[in-house]
């Protein structure tokens, strides 16, 4: 299947470079370009895309706000966002993940890493390790809001699924979770898929963000059960 990609960056030279790299791949197709976040939203209203390669810092509307609006309008089945920036700051990463991005990379990554990240995101996975997500959320927990609010979507989870979500939020991979709860790795993968569907989130990263925002996981703590 061909992955349809939209490139969003205010620099024409950057867009041209990305297009050249992506169009060289038989399974990737650039279906549009945008010069800022607002332009991207207008374009995505007309063009179907699987992945949006989004710059963070742009005039008119930055990549974080555009990601937030895009993911709010299409919470589960819309295009996934891979954020790219020249700035290696945790604040940018945190803002992008909270907005709904499925990945965060620097613009100077080798082309093969960018291509791999686009393919991973297109398949519904994230390119940010859960351990990094947890570190970011622990550090910036004060920006999550006035206080945790139980999300009604959590009530859809079984006790086992809630347990798996807690382990995902701790940064454990499927194999590690399987060892911890004494089940097959394939069983864990099935549980994770059901968790994402019930929570109406795009990937593991967004599931972890929800777990923090709802108070299921508290910053700096291993986990906390809720009833």
């Amino acid at each position: 299947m061909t992955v349809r990609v939209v490139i969003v960056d205010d620099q024409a030279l950057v867009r041209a470079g990305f297009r050249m790299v992506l169009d060289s791949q038989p399974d990737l197709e650039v279906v549009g370009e945008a010069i800022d976040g607002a332009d991207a939203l207008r374009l995505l209203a007309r063009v179907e895309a699987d992945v949006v390669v989004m710059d963070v810092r742009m005039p008119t509307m930055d990549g974080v706000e555009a990601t937030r609006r895009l993911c709010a309008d299409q919470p589960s089945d819309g295009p996934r966002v891979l954020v790219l920036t020249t700035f290696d700051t945790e604040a940018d990463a945190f803002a992008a993940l909270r907005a709904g991005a499925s990945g965060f990379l620097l613009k100077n990554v080798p082309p093969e890493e960018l291509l791999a990240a686009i393919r991973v995101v297109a398949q519904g996975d994230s390119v940010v390790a859960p351990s990094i997500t947890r570190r970011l959320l622990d550090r910036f927990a004060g920006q999550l809001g006035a206080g945790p609010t139980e999300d009604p979507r959590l009530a859809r989870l079984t006790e086992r699924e809630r347990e798996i979500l807690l382990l995902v939020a701790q940064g454990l991979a499927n194999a590690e979770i399987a060892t911890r709860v004494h089940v097959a790795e394939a069983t864990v993968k099935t549980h994770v898929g059901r968790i994402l569907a019930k929570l109406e989130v795009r990937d593991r990263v967004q599931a972890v963000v929800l777990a923090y925002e709802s108070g299921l996981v508290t910053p700096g703590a291993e986990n906390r059960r809720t009833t």
Side-chain angles (χ1 to χ4, degrees), residues 157-167 177-178 180-183 187-188 191-192 194-195 198 225:
L157 303 182
T158 65
E159 186 64 23
R160 172 64 88 177
E161 289 167 349
R162 194 172 277 231
E163 179 184 14
I164 298 295
L165 176 57
L166 287 169
L167 295 174
I177 295 173
R180 181 76 65 88
V181 300
H182 309 293
V183 299
T187 301
V188 174
H191 279 308
V192 171
R194 289 173 179 167
I195 290 168
K198 289 181 179 181
R225 288 180 179 270

Side-chain angles (χ1 to χ4, degrees), residues 130-139 169-171 212 220-222:
S131 58
I132 295 176
T133 304
R134 185 184 184 195
R135 175 170 59 83
L136 289 171
L137 290 170
D138 276 350
R139 176 169 179 179
Q170 290 179 36
Y212 269 79
E222 282 303 303

Side-chain angles (χ1 to χ4, degrees), residues 18-37:
F18 284 163
R19 177 182 280 274
M20 184 179 301
V21 171
L22 300 184
D23 281 344
S24 69
Q25 303 299 302
D27 61 329
L28 303 179
E29 177 189 4
V30 177
V31 295
E33 299 179 15
I35 61 174
D36 57 43

Side-chain angles (χ1 to χ4, degrees), residues 7-172:
I7 302 170
V8 186
D9 197 289
D10 60 324
Q11 298 183 41
L13 187 59
V14 172
R15 297 196 306 274
F18 284 163
R19 177 182 280 274
M20 184 179 301
V21 171
L22 300 184
D23 281 344
S24 69
Q25 303 299 302
D27 61 329
L28 303 179
E29 177 189 4
V30 177
V31 295
E33 299 179 15
I35 61 174
D36 57 43
D39 190 31
L41 295 178
R42 289 191 294 268
L43 173 64
L44 290 164
R46 308 189 311 269
V47 175
E48 291 189 3
D50 302 302
V51 177
V52 180
V53 179
M54 183 90 72
D55 188 21
V56 168
R57 302 192 179 185
M58 298 177 291
T60 307
M61 181 187 294
D62 63 25
V64 172
E65 179 60 25
T67 298
R68 182 179 297 109
R69 296 191 186 189
L70 177 62
C71 294
D73 291 341
Q74 302 173 328
S76 59
D77 58 354
R80 286 171 167 79
V81 179
L82 177 62
V83 171
L84 298 179
T85 182
T86 55
F87 302 94
D88 185 12
T89 68
E90 290 187 338
D92 283 340
F94 172 78
L97 296 181
R98 281 207 72 202
S102 297
F104 183 92
L105 293 175
L106 294 178
K107 284 185 179 179
N108 61 1
V109 297
E112 58 271 18
E113 289 189 24
L114 173 61
L115 295 172
I118 290 174
R119 293 183 177 109
V120 167
V121 169
Q123 292 171 0
D125 293 324
S126 60
V127 292
V128 182
S131 58
I132 295 176
T133 304
R134 185 184 184 195
R135 175 170 59 83
L136 289 171
L137 290 170
D138 276 350
R139 176 169 179 179
F140 295 97
Q143 298 180 26
L144 289 176
T149 302
E150 177 76 9
D151 193 301
R153 288 173 290 180
L154 289 173
R156 304 171 185 171
L157 303 182
T158 65
E159 186 64 23
R160 172 64 88 177
E161 289 167 349
R162 194 172 277 231
E163 179 184 14
I164 298 295
L165 176 57
L166 287 169
L167 295 174
V168 169
Q170 290 179 36
L172 274 63

